[in-house]
């Protein structure tokens, strides 16, 4: 390959390698080798490894933000927003495994020197979703934990699949398995959103569980 390479091409390769190997396991030399150019060319066109990682994560955030904004805009109530967000989040990460991979590396302390990325990129997404659903959340359920349950379930499912009833594993990449998991997620969210019904001898309704003040 010639030294004439675009920034978009570099970012595509960097995204794939950061997703596969993590930031700590990916060198600028590895990125340039995959592109067939020298490290100086990569640095001149798109920046050093640190700049590349920052841009890769920013692009991942923008794609997810657009997905969530579209999901929220389709909702006509807080309750419908829950299901729109669930469906959009699942479909997005099925279609964009590199986004899930980038965050999965961060969850095991990859790129630890980028300590503000969760506040910079994960927090705005959580706030956006939380604002859209909070009116449907019962007072004894923490809105952020509710959304966290969705996130943990989706990433766990896509990362490992699910056991078959009798033997072997169901592949999370199979459309019919995704649909069965989607149905489970909807049931799970509906159960968590069920109104609180006190027993006759209950002292009274619970106090709303605490959530970050920016919710």
């Amino acid at each position: 390959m010639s030294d004439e390479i675009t920034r978009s091409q570099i970012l595509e390769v960097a995204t794939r390698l950061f997703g596969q190997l993590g930031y700590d396991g990916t060198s600028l030399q590895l990125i340039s080798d995959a592109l067939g150019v020298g490290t100086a060319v990569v640095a001149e066109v798109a920046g050093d490894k640190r700049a590349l990682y920052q841009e890769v994560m920013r692009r991942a955030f923008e794609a997810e933000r657009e997905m969530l904004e579209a999901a929220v805009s389709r909702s006509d109530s807080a309750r419908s927003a829950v299901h729109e967000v669930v469906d959009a989040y699942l479909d997005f990460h099925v279609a964009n495994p590199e986004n899930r991979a980038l965050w999965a590396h961060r969850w095991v302390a990859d790129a630890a020197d980028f300590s503000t990325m969760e506040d910079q990129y994960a927090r705005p997404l959580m706030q956006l979703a939380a604002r859209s659903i909070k009116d449907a959340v019962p007072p004894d359920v923490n809105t952020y934990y509710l959304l966290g349950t969705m996130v943990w379930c989706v990433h766990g499912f896509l990362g490992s699949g699910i056991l078959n009833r009798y033997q072997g594993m169901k592949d999370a990449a199979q459309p019919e398995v995704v649909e069965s998991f989607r149905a489970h997620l909807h049931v799970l969210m509906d159960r968590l959103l069920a109104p609180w019904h006190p027993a006759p001898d209950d002292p009274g309704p619970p106090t709303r569980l605490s959530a970050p003040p920016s919710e």
Side-chain angles (χ1 to χ4, degrees):
M1 183 181 293
S2 75
D3 283 0
E4 294 181 1
I5 195 160
T6 66
R7 186 168 184 268
S8 178
Q9 289 173 309
I10 294 172
L11 288 169
E12 181 180 347
V13 169
T15 299
R16 174 171 56 83
L17 290 174
F18 288 143
Q20 292 174 348
L21 305 174
Y23 176 80
D24 296 336
T26 301
S27 65
L28 193 65
Q29 184 67 59
L30 194 61
I31 295 170
S32 63
D33 286 347
L35 290 160
V37 298
T39 55
V41 174
V42 172
E44 181 181 355
V45 174
D48 61 11
K49 173 184 163 180
R50 186 178 183 87
L52 281 172
Y53 184 70
Q54 289 173 315
E55 179 61 12
V56 164
M57 294 303 295
R58 187 195 67 78
R59 285 156 57 105
F61 160 72
E62 290 295 341
E64 200 160 341
R65 180 185 58 78
E66 289 177 9
M67 170 271 296
L68 276 177
E69 287 180 343
V72 169
S73 71
R74 292 192 295 269
S75 308
D76 56 10
S77 68
R79 189 61 177 256
S80 69
V82 174
H83 292 283
E84 289 286 355
V85 168
V86 164
D87 284 341
Y89 192 82
L90 175 61
D91 290 339
F92 177 85
H93 285 288
V94 168
N96 298 277
E98 68 280 0
N99 273 48
R100 183 182 66 81
L102 289 167
W103 283 107
H105 281 292
R106 292 197 59 79
W107 296 336
V108 292
D110 181 57
D113 53 328
F114 292 88
S115 59
T116 65
M117 280 197 169
E118 281 66 28
D119 283 331
Q120 188 176 2
Y121 295 140
R123 186 179 299 278
L125 299 177
M126 190 70 80
Q127 289 171 334
L128 171 62
R131 285 193 298 267
S132 73
I133 72 169
K134 64 179 181 179
D135 290 343
V137 180
D140 58 336
V141 175
N142 184 302
T143 304
Y144 274 45
Y145 282 164
L146 178 88
L147 291 167
T149 298
M150 175 196 72
V151 170
W152 304 326
C153 286
V154 168
H155 287 271
F157 167 73
L158 294 177
S160 65
I162 191 75
L163 284 168
N164 273 313
R165 183 181 295 272
Y166 300 112
Q167 185 177 8
M169 297 289 293
K170 292 181 179 179
D171 184 355
Q174 295 177 340
E176 64 273 18
V177 179
V178 172
E179 292 311 306
S180 67
F181 177 70
R182 185 193 310 277
H184 168 75
L185 271 184
H186 280 275
V187 171
L188 176 63
M189 293 296 108
D190 284 340
R191 295 293 188 273
L192 288 169
L193 294 173
W196 180 73
H197 296 295
D201 59 347
D202 197 287
T207 302
R208 174 169 287 278
L209 296 180
S210 62
S214 55
E215 180 186 311

Coordinates of all heavy atoms in Angstrom, one line a residue, residues 12-59:
E12 N -10.5 3.4 11.1 CA -11.2 2.1 11.0 C -10.3 1.0 11.5 O -10.7 0.1 12.3 CB -11.5 1.9 9.5 CG -12.3 0.6 9.3 CD -12.6 0.3 7.8 OE1 -12.5 1.3 7.1 OE2 -13.0 -0.8 7.5
V13 N -9.0 1.0 11.1 CA -8.1 0.0 11.6 C -7.8 0.1 13.1 O -7.8 -0.9 13.8 CB -6.8 0.0 10.8 CG1 -5.7 -0.8 11.4 CG2 -7.0 -0.4 9.4
A14 N -7.6 1.4 13.6 CA -7.4 1.6 15.0 C -8.6 1.1 15.8 O -8.4 0.5 16.9 CB -7.1 3.1 15.2
T15 N -9.8 1.4 15.4 CA -11.0 0.9 16.1 C -11.0 -0.6 16.2 O -11.3 -1.2 17.3 CB -12.2 1.4 15.4 OG1 -12.3 2.8 15.3 CG2 -13.5 0.9 16.1
R16 N -10.7 -1.3 15.1 CA -10.7 -2.8 15.1 C -9.6 -3.3 16.0 O -9.9 -4.2 16.8 CB -10.4 -3.3 13.7 CG -10.2 -4.8 13.6 CD -10.2 -5.3 12.2 NE -9.2 -4.6 11.4 CZ -7.9 -5.0 11.3 NH1 -7.5 -6.0 12.0 NH2 -7.1 -4.4 10.5
L17 N -8.4 -2.7 16.0 CA -7.3 -3.2 16.9 C -7.5 -2.9 18.3 O -7.3 -3.7 19.2 CB -6.0 -2.7 16.4 CG -5.5 -3.2 15.0 CD1 -4.3 -2.5 14.6 CD2 -5.3 -4.8 15.1
F18 N -8.0 -1.7 18.6 CA -8.3 -1.3 20.0 C -9.4 -2.2 20.6 O -9.4 -2.6 21.7 CB -8.7 0.2 20.1 CG -7.6 1.1 20.0 CD1 -7.9 2.4 19.3 CD2 -6.4 0.9 20.5 CE1 -6.8 3.3 19.1 CE2 -5.3 1.8 20.3 CZ -5.6 3.0 19.6
G19 N -10.4 -2.6 19.7 CA -11.4 -3.5 20.1 C -11.0 -4.9 20.4 O -11.4 -5.5 21.3
Q20 N -10.0 -5.3 19.5 CA -9.5 -6.7 19.7 C -8.5 -6.8 20.8 O -8.5 -7.8 21.5 CB -8.9 -7.2 18.3 CG -9.9 -7.4 17.2 CD -9.2 -7.7 15.9 OE1 -8.0 -7.5 15.7 NE2 -10.0 -8.1 14.9
L21 N -7.6 -5.9 20.9 CA -6.4 -6.0 21.8 C -6.4 -5.0 22.9 O -5.6 -5.2 23.8 CB -5.2 -5.8 20.9 CG -5.0 -6.7 19.7 CD1 -3.8 -6.3 18.9 CD2 -4.9 -8.2 20.1
G22 N -7.3 -4.1 22.9 CA -7.3 -3.0 23.9 C -6.3 -2.0 23.6 O -5.4 -2.1 22.7
Y23 N -6.4 -0.8 24.3 CA -5.4 0.2 24.1 C -4.0 -0.2 24.5 O -3.1 0.0 23.8 CB -5.9 1.4 24.9 CG -4.9 2.6 24.9 CD1 -4.9 3.5 23.8 CD2 -4.0 2.8 25.9 CE1 -4.0 4.6 23.7 CE2 -3.1 3.9 25.9 CZ -3.1 4.8 24.8 OH -2.3 5.8 24.7
D24 N -3.9 -0.8 25.6 CA -2.6 -1.2 26.2 C -1.9 -2.3 25.3 O -0.7 -2.3 25.2 CB -2.7 -1.7 27.6 CG -3.2 -0.7 28.6 OD1 -3.0 0.5 28.3 OD2 -3.8 -1.1 29.6
G25 N -2.7 -3.1 24.6 CA -2.2 -4.1 23.7 C -1.9 -3.7 22.3 O -1.5 -4.5 21.5
T26 N -2.2 -2.5 22.0 CA -2.1 -2.0 20.6 C -1.0 -0.9 20.5 O -1.1 0.1 21.3 CB -3.4 -1.4 20.1 OG1 -4.4 -2.5 20.2 CG2 -3.3 -1.0 18.6
S27 N -0.1 -1.1 19.7 CA 0.9 0.0 19.5 C 0.7 0.7 18.2 O 0.0 0.2 17.3 CB 2.3 -0.7 19.4 OG 2.4 -1.5 18.3
L28 N 1.3 1.9 18.1 CA 1.2 2.6 16.8 C 1.9 1.8 15.7 O 1.4 1.8 14.5 CB 1.9 4.0 16.9 CG 1.6 5.0 15.8 CD1 0.1 5.3 15.8 CD2 2.4 6.2 16.0
Q29 N 2.9 1.0 16.0 CA 3.5 0.2 15.0 C 2.6 -0.9 14.5 O 2.6 -1.2 13.3 CB 4.8 -0.5 15.6 CG 5.6 -1.3 14.7 CD 6.3 -0.5 13.6 OE1 7.0 0.4 13.9 NE2 6.0 -0.7 12.3
L30 N 1.8 -1.4 15.4 CA 0.8 -2.5 15.0 C -0.2 -1.9 14.1 O -0.6 -2.5 13.1 CB 0.2 -3.1 16.2 CG -0.6 -4.4 16.0 CD1 0.3 -5.5 15.5 CD2 -1.3 -4.8 17.4
I31 N -0.7 -0.7 14.4 CA -1.7 0.0 13.5 C -1.1 0.3 12.1 O -1.7 0.0 11.1 CB -2.2 1.3 14.2 CG1 -2.9 1.0 15.5 CG2 -3.0 2.1 13.2 CD1 -3.2 2.2 16.3
S32 N 0.1 0.8 12.1 CA 0.8 1.1 10.8 C 1.1 -0.1 10.0 O 0.9 -0.1 8.8 CB 2.1 2.0 11.1 OG 3.0 1.2 11.8
D33 N 1.5 -1.2 10.7 CA 1.7 -2.5 10.0 C 0.5 -3.0 9.3 O 0.5 -3.5 8.2 CB 2.3 -3.5 11.0 CG 3.7 -3.3 11.4 OD1 4.4 -2.4 10.7 OD2 4.2 -3.9 12.3
A34 N -0.7 -2.9 10.1 CA -1.9 -3.3 9.5 C -2.3 -2.5 8.3 O -3.1 -3.0 7.4 CB -3.0 -3.3 10.6
L35 N -1.9 -1.3 8.2 CA -2.2 -0.4 7.1 C -1.2 -0.5 6.0 O -1.4 0.0 4.9 CB -2.3 1.1 7.6 CG -3.5 1.4 8.5 CD1 -3.3 2.6 9.3 CD2 -4.8 1.5 7.6
G36 N 0.0 -1.0 6.3 CA 1.0 -1.1 5.3 C 1.8 0.2 5.1 O 2.3 0.4 4.0
V37 N 1.8 1.0 6.1 CA 2.6 2.3 6.0 C 3.4 2.4 7.2 O 3.3 1.7 8.2 CB 1.6 3.5 5.9 CG1 0.7 3.4 4.6 CG2 0.7 3.6 7.1
G38 N 4.3 3.5 7.2 CA 5.1 3.7 8.4 C 4.4 4.4 9.5 O 3.4 5.1 9.3
T39 N 4.9 4.4 10.7 CA 4.3 5.0 11.8 C 4.3 6.5 11.7 O 3.4 7.2 12.1 CB 5.1 4.7 13.1 OG1 6.4 5.0 13.0 CG2 4.9 3.2 13.5
A40 N 5.3 7.1 11.0 CA 5.3 8.5 10.7 C 4.1 9.0 9.9 O 3.6 10.1 10.1 CB 6.6 8.9 10.1
V41 N 3.8 8.1 8.9 CA 2.6 8.5 8.1 C 1.3 8.5 8.9 O 0.5 9.4 8.8 CB 2.5 7.4 6.9 CG1 1.2 7.7 6.1 CG2 3.7 7.5 6.0
V42 N 1.1 7.5 9.7 CA 0.0 7.4 10.6 C -0.1 8.6 11.5 O -1.1 9.3 11.6 CB -0.1 6.1 11.4 CG1 -1.2 6.1 12.5 CG2 -0.2 4.9 10.5
A43 N 1.0 8.9 12.1 CA 1.1 10.1 13.1 C 0.8 11.4 12.4 O 0.1 12.3 12.9 CB 2.4 10.1 13.8
E44 N 1.3 11.5 11.1 CA 1.1 12.8 10.4 C -0.4 13.0 10.0 O -0.9 14.1 10.1 CB 2.0 12.8 9.2 CG 1.9 14.1 8.3 CD 2.8 14.1 7.1 OE1 3.5 13.1 6.9 OE2 2.7 15.0 6.3
V45 N -1.0 11.9 9.6 CA -2.4 12.0 9.1 C -3.4 12.0 10.2 O -4.4 12.7 10.1 CB -2.7 10.8 8.1 CG1 -4.1 10.7 7.7 CG2 -1.8 10.8 6.9
A46 N -3.2 11.2 11.3 CA -4.2 11.1 12.3 C -3.8 11.2 13.7 O -4.6 11.2 14.6 CB -4.9 9.7 12.1
G47 N -2.5 11.5 13.9 CA -2.0 11.7 15.3 C -1.4 10.4 15.9 O -1.3 9.3 15.3
D48 N -0.9 10.6 17.1 CA -0.2 9.4 17.8 C -1.3 8.5 18.3 O -2.5 8.7 18.2 CB 0.7 9.9 18.9 CG 0.0 10.7 20.0 OD1 -1.2 10.7 20.0 OD2 0.7 11.4 20.8
K49 N -0.8 7.4 19.0 CA -1.7 6.4 19.5 C -2.7 7.0 20.5 O -3.9 6.7 20.5 CB -0.9 5.3 20.2 CG -1.7 4.3 21.0 CD -0.8 3.3 21.7 CE -1.5 2.5 22.8 NZ -0.7 1.6 23.5
R50 N -2.3 7.9 21.4 CA -3.2 8.5 22.3 C -4.3 9.3 21.6 O -5.5 9.2 22.0 CB -2.4 9.4 23.3 CG -3.2 10.0 24.4 CD -2.4 10.8 25.3 NE -3.2 11.3 26.5 CZ -3.4 10.6 27.6 NH1 -2.8 9.5 27.8 NH2 -4.1 11.1 28.6
A51 N -3.9 10.1 20.6 CA -4.9 10.9 19.9 C -5.9 10.0 19.1 O -7.1 10.2 19.0 CB -4.2 11.8 18.9
L52 N -5.3 8.9 18.6 CA -6.2 7.9 17.9 C -7.2 7.3 18.8 O -8.4 7.2 18.5 CB -5.3 6.8 17.3 CG -4.6 7.1 16.0 CD1 -3.7 6.0 15.6 CD2 -5.6 7.4 14.8
Y53 N -6.8 6.9 20.0 CA -7.7 6.3 20.9 C -8.8 7.3 21.4 O -10.0 6.9 21.4 CB -7.0 5.8 22.2 CG -7.8 5.1 23.2 CD1 -8.3 3.8 22.9 CD2 -8.1 5.6 24.4 CE1 -9.1 3.1 23.8 CE2 -8.9 5.0 25.3 CZ -9.4 3.7 25.0 OH -10.2 3.1 25.9
Q54 N -8.4 8.5 21.6 CA -9.4 9.5 22.0 C -10.5 9.7 20.9 O -11.6 9.9 21.1 CB -8.7 10.8 22.3 CG -7.9 10.8 23.6 CD -7.1 12.0 23.8 OE1 -6.4 12.5 22.9 NE2 -7.1 12.6 25.1
E55 N -10.0 9.7 19.6 CA -10.9 9.9 18.5 C -11.8 8.7 18.3 O -13.0 8.8 18.0 CB -10.2 10.3 17.2 CG -11.0 10.5 16.0 CD -12.0 11.6 16.1 OE1 -11.9 12.4 17.1 OE2 -12.9 11.7 15.3
V56 N -11.2 7.5 18.5 CA -12.0 6.3 18.3 C -13.1 6.3 19.4 O -14.3 5.9 19.1 CB -11.1 5.0 18.5 CG1 -11.9 3.8 18.8 CG2 -10.3 4.9 17.2
M57 N -12.8 6.6 20.6 CA -13.8 6.6 21.7 C -14.9 7.7 21.5 O -16.0 7.5 21.8 CB -13.2 6.7 23.0 CG -12.3 5.5 23.4 SD -13.2 3.9 23.4 CE -14.3 4.2 24.8
R58 N -14.4 8.8 21.0 CA -15.4 9.9 20.7 C -16.4 9.5 19.6 O -17.6 9.7 19.7 CB -14.7 11.2 20.2 CG -15.6 12.4 20.1 CD -14.9 13.5 19.3 NE -14.7 13.2 17.9 CZ -15.7 13.2 17.0 NH1 -16.9 13.5 17.3 NH2 -15.4 12.8 15.8
R59 N -15.9 8.8 18.6 CA -16.8 8.4 17.5 C -17.7 7.3 18.0 O -18.9 7.3 17.6 CB -15.9 7.9 16.3 CG -15.3 9.0 15.5 CD -14.1 8.6 14.7 NE -14.3 7.5 13.9 CZ -14.4 7.5 12.5 NH1 -14.3 8.7 11.9 NH2 -14.6 6.5 11.8

